[in-house]
Amino acid sequence: PMQPAHNIHQYFQGCPLQLDQDEKRGRFLVASRDIREGEVVLRCPPFLTALLRSHRKRVCAYCLTSAASGRLQTSCRGCGLCFYCS
């Protein structure tokens, strides 16, 4: 479940970003300090991943690794639309 908007700041603790908001741009992130070149500024798990139809048989739906052979052989037993490397 989504967290209430007032708790969203907890996700930026320890990183050089802060959440800001205005009527014209909505919500956005700004640097809260100078950021060094190459510095990781935010690391979080993806909310959602999706493969283009043209890539379904070439990219694993679980780990997103490209098939070494060019085509994956193991498909979902339920829908047959998702393909996996193992």
Side-chain angles (χ1 to χ4, degrees):
M2 285 188 66
Q3 297 293 319
H6 64 275
N7 288 336
I8 199 164
H9 297 282
Q10 71 186 0
Y11 298 110
F12 304 109
Q13 289 179 352
C15 73
L17 302 173
Q18 66 183 34
L19 184 64
D20 209 347
Q21 182 173 348
D22 67 32
E23 287 186 26
K24 184 177 180 182
R25 296 178 285 182
R27 289 191 299 183
F28 55 94
L29 295 173
V30 295
S32 57
R33 61 170 174 77
D34 288 343
I35 298 172
R36 297 182 313 274
E37 182 177 340
E39 179 181 0
V40 175
V41 295
L42 181 63
R43 186 171 292 166
C44 62
F47 176 73
L48 173 77
T49 58
L51 293 173
L52 296 173
R53 187 175 301 215
S54 61
H55 289 68
R56 283 185 187 162
K57 294 180 182 180
R58 295 185 293 153
V59 178
C60 176
Y62 179 75
C63 70
L64 303 177
T65 300
S66 295
S69 65
R71 182 179 165 101
L72 298 168
Q73 301 298 321
T74 306
S75 64
C76 174
R77 293 180 188 159
C79 70
L81 298 175
C82 298
F83 288 80
Y84 304 98
C85 57
S86 60

